């Protein structure tokens, strides 16, 4: 059987696509159930179940207010978890903060490394990425069109 | 991540330069490579979902790894008439994405590029994820490539007229 002829009917390509997407979902499940055991440092999921006090952990979250000697961050995927970060770094509302540090009692972290992503920089990144995506869509449509009969994109004659 | 301007312009610049030598790197195929450069960032769908309170980043992360990007590339290329060449250009595009992301600073050690075969993580860790200066440099490089291309086209036209 000629493989490329076998791909011509749209039905065959749809079946292959469903198979491939299913395989991708399976890979995603595998990642989801195993990534914690293969992370360099435990993160919030592990902290909530095992609380490895005294160990180096990785947490990230959004700035949630300051105090004398540090600030708080809230993990958006675990909204009840608020970490207290003992640090002289300053952060502002909207900043996303990633930390590797030593886990102390009551979700206190003494950082070893901190990365602070300014909130406005993140929004600016998203906006300019969104603009280029829209431009790219129109450029694509200028050179390609969809053949509904054969269910495939073909070049436009320009 | 470097932003999408950086990813798209790197793919465009490389295809334009290669287009001086290889006719396959024409504009329609260059557009495909530019789209390919964004395939790994399909993962960024988690951003609007997070605003809705849905957190699935730890589930769909493999899309931002070569194995997931490769599967999506195959699926997309099935719906083009020139399947093989589209696959190659999408592949070229998403490989440029990983080269750029390799430069990013990542506290947790990088990307497990060979997942699911290996969990070992890789990164070079030079550029902060939100650094727009990197994008500015790429824009300047792309402009240089653009002007070289304009001059090349002018030169070829003159050459054909002789």
């Amino acid at each position: 059987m000629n493989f490329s002829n076998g791909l011509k009917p749209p039905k065959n390509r749809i079946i292959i696509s469903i198979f491939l997407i299913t395989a991708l979902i399976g890979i995603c499940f595998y990642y989801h159930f195993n990534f914690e055991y293969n992370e360099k440092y435990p993160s919030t999921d592990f902290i909530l179940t095992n609380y490895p006090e005294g160990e180096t952990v990785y947490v990230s979250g959004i700035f949630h207010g300051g105090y004398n000697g540090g600030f708080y961050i809230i993990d958006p995927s675990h909204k009840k978890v608020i970490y207290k970060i003992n640090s002289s770094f300053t952060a502002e509302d909207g900043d996303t903060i990633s930390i590797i540090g030593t886990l102390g009692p009551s979700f206190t972290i003494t950082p070893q490394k901190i990365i602070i992503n300014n909130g406005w920089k993140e929004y600016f990144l998203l906006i300019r990425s969104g603009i280029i995506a829209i431009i790219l869509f129109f450029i694509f449509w200028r050179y390609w069109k969809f053949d509904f009969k054969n269910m495939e994109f073909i070049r436009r004659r320009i | 991540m470097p932003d999408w301007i950086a990813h798209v312009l790197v793919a465009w610049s490389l295809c334009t330069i290669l287009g001086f030598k290889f006719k396959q790197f024409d504009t329609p195929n260059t557009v495909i490579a530019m789209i390919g450069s964004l395939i790994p960032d399909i993962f960024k769908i988690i951003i609007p979902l997070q605003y809705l309170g849905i957190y699935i980043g730890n589930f769909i992360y493999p899309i931002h790894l070569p194995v997931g990007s490769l599967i999506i590339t195959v699926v997309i290329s099935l719906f083009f008439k020139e399947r093989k060449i589209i696959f190659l250009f999408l592949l070229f595009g998403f490989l440029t994405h990983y080269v750029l992301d390799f430069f990013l600073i990542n506290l947790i050690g990088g990307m497990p590029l060979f997942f699911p075969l290996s969990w070992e993580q890789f990164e070079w860790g030079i550029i902060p994820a939100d650094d727009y200066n990197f994008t500015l440099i790429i824009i300047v490089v792309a402009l240089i490539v653009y002007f070289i291309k304009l001059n090349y086209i002018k030169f070829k036209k003159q050459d054909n007229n002789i």
Side-chain angles (χ1 to χ4, degrees), chain A residues 67-71 84-89 102 108-111 114:
Chain A
Y67 66 92
N68 193 12
F71 53 85
K84 185 179 175 185
I85 313 298
N86 298 323
S87 170
S88 57
F89 273 86
T102 309
T108 305
I109 307 261
T110 303
I114 291 184

Side-chain angles (χ1 to χ4, degrees), chain A residues 10-129:
Chain A
K11 189 179 87 171
N12 290 0
R13 287 183 275 128
I14 289 170
I15 289 169
I16 292 171
S17 300
I18 290 171
F19 174 77
L20 288 170
I21 299 287
T22 305
L24 179 58
I25 292 171
I27 289 169
C28 289
F29 269 107
Y30 174 70
Y31 182 87
H32 177 69
F33 288 119
N34 290 280
F35 81 93
E36 274 190 0
Y37 307 106
N38 292 280
E39 282 184 319
K40 204 170 174 184
Y41 305 109
S43 52
T44 299
D45 283 322
F46 189 86
I47 291 169
L48 287 174
T49 51
N50 297 282
Y51 206 86
E53 189 171 338
E55 286 187 24
T56 302
V57 297
Y58 166 78
V59 299
S60 69
I62 298 168
F63 179 78
H64 193 65
Y67 66 92
N68 193 12
F71 53 85
Y72 299 95
I73 64 170
I74 185 166
D75 185 333
S77 59
H78 300 86
K79 283 214 167 111
K80 291 183 182 168
V81 179
I82 297 175
Y83 291 101
K84 185 179 175 185
I85 313 298
N86 298 323
S87 170
S88 57
F89 273 86
T90 53
E92 297 170 354
D93 282 333
D95 289 352
T96 305
I97 300 151
S98 303
I99 297 159
I100 290 176
T102 309
L103 181 66
S106 304
F107 295 97
T108 305
I109 307 261
T110 303
Q112 297 160 23
K113 290 183 190 175
I114 291 184
I115 292 178
I116 299 178
N117 292 318
N118 299 122
W120 72 266
K121 279 187 180 178
E122 296 248 321
Y123 285 124
F124 184 37
L125 186 148
L126 291 174
I127 286 168
R128 60 186 194 260
S129 294

